[in-house]
């Protein structure tokens, strides 16, 4: 074994290393067959016009090939899950020994890191961002020990909206003893290259992306983890065999042919984000609009709880983040359509 594989192997839970994964007959069969009597499907088909009687490809090979081309990666660097939430769950299950290992998060940040870590029984070490939402490196170093397995870096960060500084991420990649998970759910809205272009340099890097945000496909549930092939092989080993439904796979394949359309919509959303960022501070109820690299704005208001209620009463739902660390009186507002943003400004104007 190479040093590299040794290092990564040492991070995996021993029961996962030893695990014999579920293998379907179709995983094992490599020739061409016309008669499939191996999986107890209904040979007569289902009640719908389209035939969904057969289990889908457990490795989503065609979709991975398209993603590999699109993201300039190799297929063995790609895991596809039912949303990137699945990848977060599997990373915990593969690398974090419940009751012994710990994970680091930098609140305020995406809530599912905490939920999944709690479900899993992992110790969570919270290193709160500084008031300007920059990471507190000394505190991260102090909170890290040999049992620190995952460091979740959300960039652009939800709910603060900003990318983490490149130099900081680099230092974490060089010094953190476990895996550095860079969650790029919103990276299509940011003017920065993806960390996935640095995978060859950093075997401890895992990049998460999703089709739920810029790609406008949240209902399909498609998320990706990009990492060293060894890490990807571990995630594939423990995922549900058929973790993506066939319609999801097929629609995601179709969508990837329409990157230009997606980029056009991103430009429109960024334009609207800038309009909101200019108009919101003119309102009496808004104290501050934080800079954003994402498709939402975090705003500090005069009274978040009441303002949230006021918006709800007018049929507008935003996210009240005012009880998160460093987010006193803050609401997180997704950039909507031109009409939705106009309505938002109008209703906020009547508060
Ligand atoms: C930072 C971040 N990561 C991941 C996700 C989950 O995305 P998915 O829909 O792919 O599960 C979200 C969704 O809000 C998010 O904000």
């Amino acid at each position: 074994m190479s040093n590299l594989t040794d290092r990564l192997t040492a991070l995996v839970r021993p029961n996962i290393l030893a695990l014999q994964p579920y293998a379907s007959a179709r995983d094992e069969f490599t020739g061409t067959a016309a008669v499939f009597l191996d999986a107890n499907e209904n040979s007569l088909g289902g009640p719908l016009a389209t035939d969904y009687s057969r289990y889908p490809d457990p490795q989503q090979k065609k979709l991975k090939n398209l993603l590999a081309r699109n993201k300039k990666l190799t297929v063995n660097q790609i895991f596809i899950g039912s949303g990137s939430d699945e990848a977060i769950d599997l990373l915990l299950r593969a690398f974090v020994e419940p009751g012994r290992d710990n994970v680091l998060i930098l609140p305020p940040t995406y809530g599912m890191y905490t939920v999944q870590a709690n479900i899993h029984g992992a110790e969570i070490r919270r290193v709160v961002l500084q008031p300007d939402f920059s990471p507190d490196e000394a505190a991260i170093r102090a909170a890290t020990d040999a049992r620190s397995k995952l460091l979740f870096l959300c960039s652009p960060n939800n709910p603060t909206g900003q990318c983490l500084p490149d130099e900081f991420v680099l230092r974490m990649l060089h010094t953190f003893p476990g895996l550095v998970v860079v969650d790029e759910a919103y990276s299509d809205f940011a003017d920065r290259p993806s960390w996935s272009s640095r995978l060859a340099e950093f075997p401890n890097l895992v990049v998460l992306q999703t089709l739920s945000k810029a790609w406008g496909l949240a209902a399909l549930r498609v998320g990706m983890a990009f990492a060293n092939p060894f890490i990807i092989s571990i995630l594939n080993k423990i995922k549900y065999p058929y973790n993506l439904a066939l319609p999801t796979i097929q629609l995601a394949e179709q969508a990837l042919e329409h990157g230009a359309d997606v980029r056009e919509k991103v430009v429109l959303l960024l334009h609207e984000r800038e309009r909101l960022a200019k108009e919101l501070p003119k309102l009496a109820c808004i104290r501050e609009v934080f800079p954003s690299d994402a498709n939402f704005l975090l705003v500090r208001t005069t009274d978040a709880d009441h303002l949230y209620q006021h918006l709800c009463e007018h049929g507008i739902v935003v996210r009240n983040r005012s009880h998160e660390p460093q987010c006193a009186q803050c609401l997180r507002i997704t950039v909507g359509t031109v009409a939705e943003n106009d309505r938002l400004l109008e209703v906020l104007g009547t508060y």
Side-chain angles (χ1 to χ4, degrees):
M1 260 197 294
S2 69
N3 278 347
L4 176 69
T5 317
D6 278 348
R7 257 186 65 203
L8 291 175
T9 304
L11 294 175
V12 183
R13 293 168 67 198
N15 62 314
I16 301 297
L17 274 182
L19 182 81
Q20 198 55 46
Y22 179 82
S24 72
R26 271 165 241 179
D27 280 327
E28 289 158 3
F29 177 77
T30 50
T32 43
V35 181
F36 289 102
L37 302 176
D38 58 303
N40 301 342
E41 296 143 332
N42 189 332
S43 313
L44 304 181
L48 302 176
T50 308
D51 181 21
Y52 291 118
S53 62
R54 300 296 179 178
Y55 284 103
D57 173 11
Q59 293 305 330
Q60 304 109 14
K61 286 186 271 309
K62 184 172 169 204
L63 180 55
K64 277 186 190 159
N65 272 301
L66 290 171
L67 273 172
R69 211 171 56 202
N70 198 291
K71 304 283 176 186
K72 299 189 173 55
L73 296 169
T74 55
V75 166
N76 63 2
Q77 290 176 307
I78 301 175
F79 164 84
I80 310 179
S82 174
S84 39
D85 283 345
E86 183 180 354
I88 296 168
D89 179 35
L90 295 187
L91 285 164
L92 283 154
R93 291 209 257 164
F95 294 95
V96 181
E97 199 64 61
R100 275 183 67 189
D101 292 337
N102 63 76
V103 303
L104 271 75
I105 63 167
L106 313 185
T109 193
Y110 182 45
M112 283 303 279
Y113 311 140
T114 298
V115 173
Q116 307 264 36
N118 279 332
I119 291 169
H120 186 67
E123 183 197 343
I124 303 169
R125 298 191 176 171
R126 295 177 174 81
V127 183
V128 175
L129 295 176
Q130 305 191 82
D132 66 354
F133 302 142
S134 63
D136 183 342
E137 281 195 58
I140 293 171
R141 270 196 301 279
T144 303
D145 62 23
R147 301 231 66 97
S148 300
K149 290 294 189 69
L150 301 174
L151 167 62
F152 287 103
L153 301 181
C154 190
S155 183
N157 187 38
N158 172 8
T160 58
Q162 292 142 41
C163 285
L164 289 165
D166 288 350
E167 292 307 312
F168 161 73
V169 178
L170 275 177
R171 278 194 293 277
M172 292 299 110
L173 284 165
H174 281 295
T175 56
F176 189 72
L179 302 184
V180 177
V181 183
V182 182
D183 186 341
E184 294 185 345
Y186 300 96
S187 64
D188 296 299
F189 299 102
D191 194 14
R192 304 262 188 106
S194 165
W195 281 95
S196 62
S197 63
R198 311 286 298 264
L199 282 175
E201 281 167 79
F202 300 107
N204 58 337
L205 168 63
V206 180
V207 176
L208 303 182
Q209 290 189 5
T210 177
L211 298 190
S212 299
K213 308 296 177 184
W215 282 83
L217 297 169
L220 287 192
R221 310 304 302 128
V222 181
M224 295 84 77
F226 307 131
N228 177 284
F230 175 77
I231 295 175
I232 297 300
S233 72
I234 296 287
L235 298 182
N236 281 329
K237 185 173 168 177
I238 65 173
K239 75 181 183 69
Y240 286 168
Y242 308 105
N243 60 331
L244 256 67
L246 181 62
T248 291
I249 296 173
Q250 290 174 332
L251 291 168
E253 287 167 1
Q254 281 177 34
L256 289 179
E257 307 291 343
H258 298 281
D261 179 45
V262 171
R263 280 187 292 279
E264 242 174 64
K265 290 200 173 93
V266 167
V267 170
L268 292 178
L269 288 172
L270 294 182
H271 191 266
E272 277 301 288
R273 182 183 78 192
E274 295 325 304
R275 179 168 78 95
L276 283 178
K278 209 168 106 230
E279 294 302 320
L280 285 166
K282 296 179 186 165
L283 302 171
C285 59
I286 304 293
R287 286 217 166 108
E288 187 173 4
V289 178
F290 294 98
S292 172
D293 298 311
N295 65 335
F296 56 82
L297 288 166
L298 188 73
V299 296
R300 184 155 278 142
T301 69
T302 48
D303 183 348
D305 289 344
H306 282 115
L307 201 52
Y308 176 80
Q309 271 313 320
H310 174 75
L311 288 168
C312 282
E313 280 156 20
H314 289 81
I316 299 177
V317 189
V318 298
R319 199 84 156 109
N320 186 352
R321 298 282 80 180
S322 60
H323 304 287
E324 295 292 310
Q326 308 292 23
C327 290
Q329 306 299 358
C330 284
L331 299 178
R332 191 196 70 197
I333 304 174
T334 305
V335 177
T337 62
V338 173
E340 287 168 341
N341 301 332
D342 283 345
R343 176 80 184 131
L344 171 85
L345 291 168
E346 183 190 330
V347 171
L348 285 176
T350 65
Y351 180 71

